[in-house]
Amino acid sequence: MNSERIKALSSFVDKEDIVLDVGCDHGYLSIYLKQNNLCKEVLASDISKNALSQAQSNFKKYHLNIKSYISDGFNNIEDSFNTAVIAGMGTSTILNILDNKKTPNKLIISSNNEHFKLRKNLNILGYKLIKEKIVYEKNHYYIIMLYLKGKQSLSKKEVLFGISNNKKYYNYLLNKNRELLPKVPLRKKLNILYENHLLKGLIEKK
Ligand SMILES: C[S@@+](CC[C@H](N)C(=O)[O-])C[C@H]1O[C@@H](n2cnc3c(N)ncnc32)[C@H](O)[C@@H]1O
């Protein structure tokens, strides 16, 4: 349960935060936050009844009092919260959840895909990317993002590759692109070559 990914998500949580764990599934993040007393309050939600009952039985098992909701995103949450963690979902689902009047000041996000689309749209939605952490776990890179409400316009390079300054991750992206290069049509090749030029710059940057 105490995975590096959960710890990295939790590292962006502050003591005064009232956290809504959106799509809590088994509830492990909520449990970690509550057991370690990392924030003022934790609320857990999931769109799936089965997932939420799994979380509820875990809360019971660990003797934790965590309010939980069946909810699509922020829709049925009666209590107020100032922070939302949205992790383990795709960018389209995350953007659908954020298409809501009840968005909090602080977001901790970890998407499974299309990180460039996420970064671009969060700026448009009025959020500012503050920090990114990269976690490598179970043969997979996870990008954990911290956003606060505010104005920002990331550069093309930042939209594509983020602000983590994690050279191992940039090398991983470069190698993935190099493997892809012979398999794609010319128009895509040019894009990939441009991306690789940017990635090499990030890797060589002191
Ligand atoms: C892969 S799990 C991730 C669980 C946890 N957040 C984590 O990162 O370990 C994705 C969860 O998101 C839930 N989910 C998907 N769309 C949702 C939505 N619109 N609102 C709330 N929960 C959603 C799913 O039911 C599932 O339990």
Side-chain angles (χ1 to χ4, degrees):
M1 185 200 304
N2 296 344
S3 73
E4 288 309 310
R5 188 182 67 90
I6 299 254
K7 283 184 192 162
L9 288 166
S10 307
S11 72
F12 286 154
V13 170
D14 292 309
K15 272 273 181 199
E16 68 273 15
D17 292 345
I18 302 172
V19 178
L20 173 65
D21 179 7
V22 180
C24 65
D25 199 2
H26 31 57
Y28 292 161
L29 173 75
S30 295
I31 292 169
Y32 187 80
L33 292 175
K34 191 84 176 175
Q35 278 184 331
N36 293 288
N37 210 13
L38 295 178
C39 53
K40 201 163 163 189
E41 197 50 88
V42 186
L43 311 166
S45 76
D46 205 288
I47 199 169
S48 145
K49 208 172 164 184
N50 281 346
L52 201 72
S53 57
Q54 170 86 40
Q56 284 164 337
S57 50
N58 282 332
F59 300 157
K60 213 167 166 186
K61 182 170 147 195
Y62 293 103
H63 309 288
L64 297 170
N65 183 16
I66 297 176
K67 262 197 181 178
S68 54
Y69 301 87
I70 298 273
S71 169
D72 179 352
F74 304 137
N75 284 342
N76 304 326
I77 316 297
E78 290 148 14
D79 291 86
S80 58
F81 55 94
N82 53 26
T83 302
V85 181
I86 315 177
M89 289 167 230
T91 284
S92 294
T93 306
I94 294 171
L95 291 174
N96 279 339
I97 288 172
L98 293 172
D99 183 14
N100 193 297
K101 284 190 191 117
K102 257 170 92 176
T103 51
N105 183 50
K106 177 169 169 181
L107 298 173
I108 300 164
I109 296 190
S110 183
S111 170
N112 295 335
N113 59 20
E114 298 185 303
H115 298 100
F116 57 95
K117 182 173 160 191
L118 184 66
R119 293 189 190 98
K120 196 171 167 184
N121 279 282
L122 276 166
N123 276 178
I124 294 168
L125 288 171
Y127 281 96
K128 194 172 163 177
L129 181 59
I130 307 295
K131 270 189 201 163
E132 282 190 349
K133 276 188 186 174
I134 310 288
V135 173
Y136 186 70
E137 193 168 67
K138 294 182 189 152
N139 292 323
H140 190 81
Y141 280 97
Y142 295 94
I143 306 174
I144 320 277
M145 303 168 172
L146 169 65
Y147 276 95
L148 291 177
K149 277 198 174 157
K151 276 195 176 169
Q152 184 185 50
S153 183
L154 293 173
S155 68
K156 171 129 194 195
K157 191 158 52 175
E158 289 168 331
V159 167
L160 282 171
F161 307 117
I163 58 167
S164 68
N165 200 24
N166 185 308
K167 314 260 184 211
K168 265 193 184 169
Y169 174 62
Y170 297 149
N171 261 308
Y172 157 78
L173 293 178
L174 184 63
N175 288 332
K176 217 169 81 167
N177 269 354
R178 281 176 173 155
E179 279 173 27
L180 213 62
L181 209 51
K183 300 174 194 159
V184 296
L186 183 64
R187 197 178 49 82
K188 198 121 201 260
K189 263 192 213 324
L190 296 175
N191 273 342
I192 291 181
L193 286 170
Y194 175 63
E195 282 190 18
N196 288 358
H197 164 73
L198 296 178
L199 281 166
K200 280 184 217 156
L202 286 169
I203 291 163
E204 281 157 17
K205 201 171 130 195
K206 291 264 151 55

